[in-house]
Amino acid sequence: MAQNIMLYWTSGSPPCWRVMIALEEKLLQGYKQKHLSFEKNEHKCEEVKALNPRGQVPTFKHGDIVVNESFAACLYLESTFKSQGTRLIPDDPAEQALVYQRIFETENLQQKLSYVAFYEWYVPEGERLESALKRNKENLITELKLWEGYLEKMGKGSYLAGKNFTMADVVCFPVIAYLPYLHCPKERCPRLMEYYEMVKDRPSIKASWPPHWLEKPEGQDTLKNL
């Protein structure tokens, strides 16, 4: 079954990583894959663009079905393989609503984190402003406080949408993992760090851990002054 699946991905990309976690959780090991170099611009190759005109990763194909956006690919996997592996979307309407809420809130966290962590990559040297970086940091701090509050309200040992590991964790963990990787102070987000420590050794996450993080466990210190 997994042999009908093809995934093009790059190491350390949260969108790619979440699809890989979903594949592991749905017991779809052994799928076909191609690890591309972002630095070498390999994601813009014709092989990828034939399936994904944007030339982006993840590019995901199951049989003749192509799903390229990472949230969509994860939800597709849960829908298609609902009875297999971990149940990632609960049936209870209230629980389901919270999972969907956290899934799509992840985009806010990822964007605000990226604007700080990769500011120098996004903005050319001559256009960088200290005031803009300060504002970006304030926005990220506000966002982190929001997620801290979510975990505080649910209690110690909770996942992002309750007591069970769900699609919310699949899509958001790769973003949260960047906090310790880029040296965010633990005191800035203690509950998120507790969550990170609880989840990081889950088999699906260990199996899909970014290869270059294994070689170099610590990234740049772009979040150290948050």
Side-chain angles (χ1 to χ4, degrees):
M1 191 180 299
Q3 285 298 307
N4 291 329
I5 293 173
M6 179 68 185
L7 179 70
Y8 297 84
W9 61 285
T10 58
S11 179
S13 158
C16 294
W17 194 358
R18 63 177 59 113
V19 175
M20 298 172 82
I21 294 171
L23 285 161
E24 292 288 333
E25 290 289 340
K26 302 312 291 184
L27 304 180
L28 292 166
Q29 296 90 347
Y31 57 90
K32 297 176 182 177
Q33 57 176 291
K34 183 168 284 191
H35 179 195
L36 304 175
S37 169
F38 186 78
E39 289 74 17
K40 295 178 182 178
N41 224 31
E42 290 178 347
H43 57 297
K44 299 295 183 182
C45 68
E46 291 305 314
E47 186 177 351
V48 171
K49 291 175 76 173
L51 300 172
N52 186 345
R54 296 181 189 274
Q56 296 176 340
V57 286
T59 289
F60 172 88
K61 189 172 185 286
H62 176 218
D64 295 327
I65 298 171
V66 177
V67 189
N68 291 317
E69 293 297 325
S70 64
F71 287 4
C74 288
L75 292 171
Y76 170 83
L77 285 167
E78 173 63 12
S79 176
T80 304
F81 302 98
K82 189 173 183 178
S83 62
Q84 182 170 313
T86 307
R87 187 70 176 275
L88 297 171
I89 302 291
D91 285 330
D92 179 79
E95 294 177 6
Q96 189 178 105
L98 183 57
V99 170
Y100 283 131
Q101 178 71 29
R102 295 291 179 265
I103 287 172
F104 290 99
E105 279 187 291
T106 296
E107 188 66 26
N108 292 316
L109 178 60
Q110 182 172 336
Q111 185 181 72
K112 289 177 171 62
L113 189 150
S114 296
Y115 284 169
V116 176
F118 308 113
Y119 181 74
E120 293 185 2
W121 185 81
Y122 282 124
V123 183
E125 185 174 359
E127 299 175 21
R128 295 171 195 163
L129 298 172
E130 189 62 34
S131 59
L133 181 55
K134 180 181 178 181
R135 183 172 62 252
N136 291 343
K137 286 183 177 180
E138 290 172 349
N139 290 338
L140 175 56
I141 289 169
T142 298
E143 187 70 22
L144 290 175
K145 286 180 179 177
L146 192 64
W147 287 85
E148 285 281 297
Y150 293 157
L151 288 171
E152 183 71 32
K153 184 177 180 180
M154 287 186 293
K156 193 175 181 65
S158 289
Y159 293 98
L160 294 178
K163 296 300 182 184
N164 297 314
F165 184 90
T166 68
M167 189 65 79
D169 304 286
V170 170
V171 304
C172 197
F173 178 85
V175 179
I176 292 172
Y178 264 91
L179 294 170
Y181 183 68
L182 299 178
H183 302 268
C184 178
K186 289 185 178 181
E187 59 270 21
R188 177 61 70 187
C189 47
R191 297 308 297 266
L192 283 167
M193 290 303 92
E194 285 180 10
Y195 166 81
Y196 168 81
E197 291 295 332
M198 180 180 76
V199 178
K200 68 181 177 67
D201 290 326
R202 189 176 177 89
S204 64
I205 289 170
K206 289 183 71 174
S208 57
W209 201 261
H212 78 281
W213 287 20
L214 292 173
E215 298 170 2
K216 187 180 179 183
E218 294 186 356
Q220 296 180 328
D221 58 1
T222 50
L223 296 180
K224 72 174 183 179
N225 294 321
L226 195 63

